[in-house]
Amino acid sequence: DPTNTLATVAKIGYQHVETFGVDAENKKFWGLTIPELKKVLDDNGLKTHSGHYDLSKYLDRKKTDKESMERYIEIAHSLGQSYIVAPVTPMDDLNNLKVEDYQYAAEQLNTAGEMAKKAGIKVGYHNHFWEFRNFANGTKGLDILIAFTEPELVDFELDLFWIQKAGLNAQSYFEKYPGRFSMWHIKDMDKQFTTPLIGEKYDQADFRTIMQDTKYTEVGTGAIDFINIAQYAQKAGLKYAFVEQDDIAMPNKFESIKIFVTNLLMGRL
């Protein structure tokens, strides 16, 4: 029920949302047409600055049946979004991604950025943990994407959970690449599941096996020091931050996302 869900999210205190899951061919989100969704957002005082759009084929050098960037740009523009974000790399062979795969993806992001620029929209990329796996020379996939993309065309949406779960810290990337991380995904890590997912044990492991060592928790109750990370907002170039609660264990999902707002208002974040 997207209408009641968005109304409840707004009542909790959120002012903007990030979209995902568009049916681009039929121009619908969760059964709502683009104008219907825009009306629901407007009626509840919600903005949408960014959306996740499936670009897994577009970024895959082995695929020829690419997603339509033109269609995504049209949809994002209709919603008033400033960013079209690629949520993942191609997912069909994560353990064998090569330097060339990331270089190709960077080229594609630049091309998409050139197209989107004409509509006043910028392209972004959202990371998980595997972009921090090391290649032979110590280079990481995310570093390749950042190095080979044009700053005026492509921004990055750093997932604060996944970079820490990869055994690194967000602050180091903000220092290394200032101004490139205009968006953050905020989610917290269960204190009993902090073991990094990078290294010999995990780099060739089955994805489902890896995810067994991953557990989320409500923002402000886990292992991530958001107060310290927030000090780097200007250095990062932060414009928008999104609470992303991948899996919610609490029976009442709205109570889960309300905890973030409560912690924020109480000065715990």
Side-chain angles (χ1 to χ4, degrees):
D1 185 350
T3 301
N4 286 331
T5 295
L6 289 167
T8 305
V9 166
K11 288 175 184 176
I12 288 171
Y14 290 89
Q15 298 177 340
H16 63 91
V17 294
E18 187 173 49
T19 61
F20 76 100
V22 66
D23 175 354
E25 186 173 346
N26 295 304
K27 298 182 182 178
K28 287 186 176 182
F29 281 95
W30 319 300
L32 298 177
T33 65
I34 305 304
E36 287 171 343
L37 175 59
K38 185 70 167 62
K39 185 176 187 306
V40 172
L41 293 171
D42 290 344
D43 288 348
N44 290 283
L46 290 170
K47 302 287 187 183
T48 178
H49 303 294
S50 170
H52 276 203
Y53 293 86
D54 183 14
L55 289 168
S56 53
K57 293 179 181 178
Y58 189 83
L59 300 181
D60 192 335
R61 63 190 176 118
K62 303 180 187 72
K63 294 288 196 305
T64 57
D65 54 332
K66 309 290 191 183
E67 295 89 359
S68 171
M69 268 304 300
E70 292 88 352
R71 197 169 289 170
Y72 288 162
I73 291 167
E74 180 186 351
I75 293 168
H77 187 264
S78 297
L79 289 172
Q81 292 177 333
S82 302
Y83 292 93
I84 292 173
V85 178
V88 290
T89 58
M91 293 283 289
D92 53 355
D93 198 14
L94 289 177
N95 292 349
N96 290 302
L97 287 171
K98 297 177 173 56
V99 169
E100 292 79 10
D101 293 310
Y102 285 105
Q103 290 174 335
Y104 176 82
E107 293 170 5
Q108 289 291 92
L109 290 170
N110 282 332
T111 299
E114 286 281 8
M115 296 168 63
K117 184 179 180 181
K118 298 171 185 176
I121 295 171
K122 206 168 185 181
V123 167
Y125 179 84
H126 165 272
N127 67 279
H128 289 79
F129 64 88
W130 54 84
E131 294 93 342
F132 298 104
R133 287 171 172 168
N134 291 308
F135 291 107
N137 61 355
T139 301
K140 298 172 175 56
L142 189 65
D143 294 77
I144 295 170
L145 291 176
I146 295 172
F148 282 83
T149 50
E150 299 296 333
E152 67 272 17
L153 300 176
V154 182
D155 275 2
F156 289 82
E157 182 174 61
L158 193 70
D159 190 298
L160 303 181
F161 175 98
W162 286 122
I163 188 170
Q164 185 158 323
K165 193 63 175 164
L168 300 165
N169 66 72
Q171 298 91 320
S172 66
Y173 267 72
F174 300 149
E175 291 283 3
K176 190 175 182 180
Y177 303 108
R180 294 303 302 271
F181 297 99
S182 59
M183 295 167 285
W184 297 354
H185 266 193
I186 299 175
K187 58 175 174 274
D188 216 340
M189 188 183 304
D190 188 291
K191 294 177 181 178
Q192 303 303 313
F193 287 79
T194 59
T195 302
L197 297 177
I198 300 296
E200 186 176 348
K201 177 182 176 182
Y202 293 104
D203 287 353
Q204 290 300 317
D206 177 75
F207 185 74
R208 292 184 180 181
T209 301
I210 293 173
M211 293 306 292
Q212 289 175 0
D213 289 341
T214 300
K215 188 175 182 180
Y216 315 101
T217 191
E218 280 63 43
V219 176
T221 68
I224 298 179
D225 186 354
F226 293 107
I227 292 177
N228 184 275
I229 293 173
Q231 308 309 308
Y232 289 77
Q234 185 173 356
K235 172 75 74 173
L238 180 67
K239 293 180 180 177
Y240 305 113
F242 310 95
V243 174
E244 184 192 33
Q245 194 78 22
D246 286 30
D247 293 313
I248 298 177
M250 293 177 65
N252 188 321
K253 311 306 182 187
F254 295 116
E255 285 301 315
S256 173
I257 64 170
K258 188 177 180 180
I259 288 173
F260 165 77
V261 176
T262 302
N263 283 331
L264 190 65
L265 293 175
M266 294 296 290
R268 300 178 189 134
L269 291 171

